[in-house]
Amino acid sequence: MRIDFTIIEVNDLNSKREFIELPVRLYQKMKNWIRPLDSDIEKVFDPKQNKMFTHGECIRWILQDRNKQTIGRIAAFIDHKTKDLNDQPTGGLGFFECINNKDAAFALFDTCKNWLKDKQIEAMDGPINFGERHQWWGLHVDGDHKPVYCMPYHFKYYQDFFDSYGFQVYFKQYTYRTKFAVESLSEIIKWKAKRLLNNNEYQIIHFNKKNSDKLIKDFVHVYNEAWVKEIPGIEGISEQQTQDLFKTLKPIMHEKLMWFAYHKKEPIGFFIMIPDLNELLQHINGKMNLYAKLRFIYYKHLQKNKNALGLIFGVIPEFQKRGIEAAMIYEFSKSGFDSSFPFLNLEMNWIGDFNPRMSHLMDHIGAKIYKTHYTYRKLFDETKEFKRSVIIK
C-alpha cells in the first residue's frame, strides 16, 4: 500500500529530535539493539566537532507520513578530498533507518541520489559515515549480536531495500571475536612471535601514560605510513588530531590494550584496542547524565569479564610479513594471565574482505567471524561497469 510521504530537511530542534528518536521507536522490541549516545550521532553533523566539514558537505532528512509521523531518516554527504579516487565521482549516504515499507525506503534513497547528482556525483556508497571508517560503517546483514561501540545494528529487511534499489556489494566487513589467551593462538603465531622477540633489534611495548607524547608521535608516523599509503580514501592524521583522540580515550584507556612495535628503536607498528563502551551504553538510554557517569565508574573499576574492541592495527609496509603482527598479538594475549586484567574477549572492529592478510591473521589467533556488514555502492549510470573494492596485496 502506497503511503503519502513528506521529506523534511533536518535543520531545527524538532527535526533533530525526530532524527535521534526514530530508531528508539523502531528498535524498542529488538533485544540486541543498543541506543548510541545522542551526542555521538549529533557530533557527526556538527561542523564544530567534525573536521570532515572543512573539505566536505553533508545534509540529512527525515521522512514523515500523512499523519506527520516520522517513519524514516537518512543523510547524504560528499568528501571532496576522496570523491574522485574512484572511476566516477562518488558520494555517500548513511544513518538510514526506515519502517518496513519499500516505497518509503526508495523515497529516502532517491532524495540522496538527487541531491548528489545535482552536485555532479555519479555514485553513492552506503550506509557509511561522514567521518572515520571505524564508526557507523556498513549495513549489518548477519550475526544477530549486539553492536560494538559506534557501529550499527540493522533490521534484516534493510538488505532487501538496498539490493532491490540497485546497490551492489562494494566490500564485505567481518567482525571477528576471540578470547584473551595465548592458548587461542596457532602454533605458527607463537613461533613467529618468539622468533621475532629473540631478535634484539625488535621491541614490543604497551602504552605508558608517562611516555604518551612520544607514543602519540609514533602512532602518527605508523598510521600515515601503513594506512594512508595503502588504502585509497584514508586521510592522513596530524599529531594534534591524535592528541585530541587520545585525550578523548583517556577516561577509558587501559595501557595493556595499546601496543607498539619498534625496530632499532624506530616505530613500525601498533595495535590499538579500547573497552567496548556499548556494555555501558546499553544501560543509559543515550544520555551521559549523572546516572550514566556512576554506571561508568562501576563499569571501569568493578565489572570483570569485559569485552575489548580492536580499533586499528597497522604495520609499516616494509615490515609486513615479518611477524610484527604476531609478536604484538602474542604479547597482549599474555595479559589474560594477569588476574587484574579485566577483559575476557576481543572483538575486531570489522576487517574488509579487501584485506585478506588480516583475515588470514584472524584465523591464526583463534578468532571467528561474529558479525557481517556490507558496504554497498550504487552507480547512477547502470550501463557502466561495477567494480568491487581493490584487494590489498
Side-chain angles (χ1 to χ4, degrees):
M1 178 180 176
R2 176 77 190 192
I3 303 175
D4 292 330
F5 305 121
T6 302
I7 288 282
I8 300 171
E9 182 180 345
V10 175
N11 56 15
D12 59 23
L13 290 176
N14 183 62
S15 55
K16 288 180 180 180
R17 183 173 61 250
E18 286 297 297
F19 191 89
I20 290 292
E21 293 294 333
L22 173 65
V24 181
R25 298 194 294 269
L26 289 177
Y27 291 99
Q28 60 182 324
K29 295 182 180 180
M30 304 297 290
K31 64 181 179 64
N32 282 333
W33 182 74
I34 296 176
R35 179 175 181 170
L37 282 174
D38 297 350
S39 57
D40 281 339
I41 300 294
E42 281 302 311
K43 71 182 179 183
V44 174
F45 304 101
D46 184 353
K48 294 180 180 179
Q49 298 187 71
N50 187 350
K51 64 182 179 64
M52 293 290 291
F53 280 96
T54 62
H55 50 81
E57 50 189 308
C58 175
I59 187 171
R60 54 179 167 157
W61 303 271
I62 55 174
L63 184 71
Q64 293 189 335
D65 63 17
R66 64 168 64 94
N67 298 317
K68 296 186 178 181
Q69 295 298 307
T70 301
I71 58 173
R73 74 175 198 185
I74 204 162
F77 24 79
I78 304 170
D79 181 354
H80 293 293
K81 277 189 175 181
T82 63
K83 67 181 177 66
D84 295 318
L85 296 178
N86 306 279
D87 291 339
Q88 63 287 313
T90 302
L93 66 80
F95 299 91
F96 169 81
E97 302 287 356
C98 190
I99 63 171
N100 192 358
N101 182 287
K102 190 173 292 186
D103 290 334
F106 282 16
L108 289 164
F109 294 156
D110 283 343
T111 301
C112 289
K113 182 175 72 172
N114 294 335
W115 183 81
L116 291 167
K117 287 179 73 173
D118 285 345
K119 296 177 179 293
Q120 288 71 56
I121 298 298
E122 299 176 9
M124 58 186 178
D125 291 347
I128 62 172
N129 182 30
F130 188 52
E132 302 296 338
R133 283 192 173 197
H134 66 270
Q135 295 185 337
W136 318 121
W137 205 282
L139 184 75
H140 180 206
V141 299
D142 190 48
D144 190 12
H145 305 288
K146 294 176 181 179
V148 296
Y149 179 60
C150 287
M151 277 293 284
Y153 176 94
H154 291 127
F155 288 112
K156 289 185 178 296
Y157 62 81
Y158 285 8
Q159 186 176 359
D160 178 59
F161 292 164
F162 278 82
D163 292 340
S164 299
Y165 191 75
F167 282 92
Q168 299 181 72
V169 177
Y170 185 50
F171 57 79
K172 297 180 180 180
Q173 307 161 221
Y174 300 121
T175 299
Y176 289 82
R177 183 179 174 93
T178 189
K179 289 186 179 296
F180 278 101
V182 172
E183 290 77 11
S184 299
L185 308 182
S186 70
E187 290 302 317
I188 192 168
I189 288 290
K190 297 176 187 177
W191 177 80
K192 286 182 176 181
K194 291 176 181 178
R195 181 188 63 175
L196 188 91
L197 294 169
N198 284 333
N199 184 334
N200 292 331
E201 292 184 348
Y202 292 94
Q203 184 184 19
I204 308 294
I205 66 170
H206 63 74
F207 189 82
N208 187 323
K209 292 177 183 178
K210 295 179 181 179
N211 202 22
S212 61
D213 287 344
K214 178 184 182 305
L215 293 173
I216 286 172
K217 290 180 181 179
D218 295 344
F219 175 90
V220 171
H221 173 72
V222 175
Y223 182 91
N224 289 332
E225 291 292 319
W227 278 85
V228 178
K229 292 184 178 180
E230 281 214 310
I231 303 179
I234 299 292
E235 296 183 33
I237 192 168
S238 69
E239 188 173 330
Q240 183 57 55
Q241 288 171 332
T242 308
Q243 289 278 5
D244 293 342
L245 171 63
F246 276 69
K247 184 178 180 180
T248 301
L249 294 177
K250 187 175 180 179
I252 62 170
M253 185 182 295
H254 191 289
E255 292 187 345
K256 289 191 177 179
L257 289 180
M258 310 173 90
W259 292 83
F260 294 81
Y262 295 85
H263 177 253
K264 295 181 179 179
K265 298 184 178 181
E266 292 297 318
I268 58 173
F270 58 66
F271 186 17
I272 306 298
M273 296 164 279
I274 62 172
D276 180 12
L277 288 185
N278 268 7
E279 292 185 311
L280 166 68
L281 298 188
Q282 63 185 324
H283 303 293
I284 67 173
N285 198 32
K287 306 291 192 297
M288 187 53 76
N289 50 25
L290 176 60
Y291 172 73
K293 291 175 181 178
L294 292 174
R295 289 285 309 188
F296 176 75
I297 293 171
Y298 166 79
Y299 169 82
K300 182 175 182 180
H301 297 288
L302 299 176
Q303 183 176 327
K304 299 293 184 179
N305 299 334
K306 294 197 284 276
N307 288 328
L309 172 61
L311 203 59
I312 186 169
F313 212 139
V315 175
I316 289 176
E318 65 186 278
F319 287 93
Q320 293 173 3
K321 301 181 181 179
R322 298 192 189 187
I324 309 299
E325 298 96 332
M328 286 191 286
I329 289 169
Y330 180 78
E331 286 298 297
F332 87 70
S333 292
K334 291 194 296 186
S335 301
F337 292 126
D338 185 348
S339 61
S340 66
F341 189 67
F343 301 94
L344 179 65
N345 298 306
L346 167 68
E347 285 194 35
M348 292 296 296
N349 189 21
W350 78 260
I351 295 170
D353 64 356
F354 54 79
N355 192 350
R357 279 203 315 262
M358 281 300 298
S359 294
H360 185 62
L361 179 62
M362 292 299 102
D363 293 336
H364 284 298
I365 69 170
K368 305 298 181 185
I369 293 175
Y370 192 59
K371 284 171 286 197
T372 302
H373 292 69
Y374 287 172
T375 291
Y376 283 98
R377 174 166 289 177
K378 164 72 173 176
L379 302 182
F380 299 158
D381 182 352
E382 295 185 352
T383 66
K384 289 189 175 182
E385 179 187 3
F386 176 83
K387 297 179 182 178
R388 289 200 60 179
S389 180
V390 176
I391 302 296
I392 298 175
K393 301 297 185 181

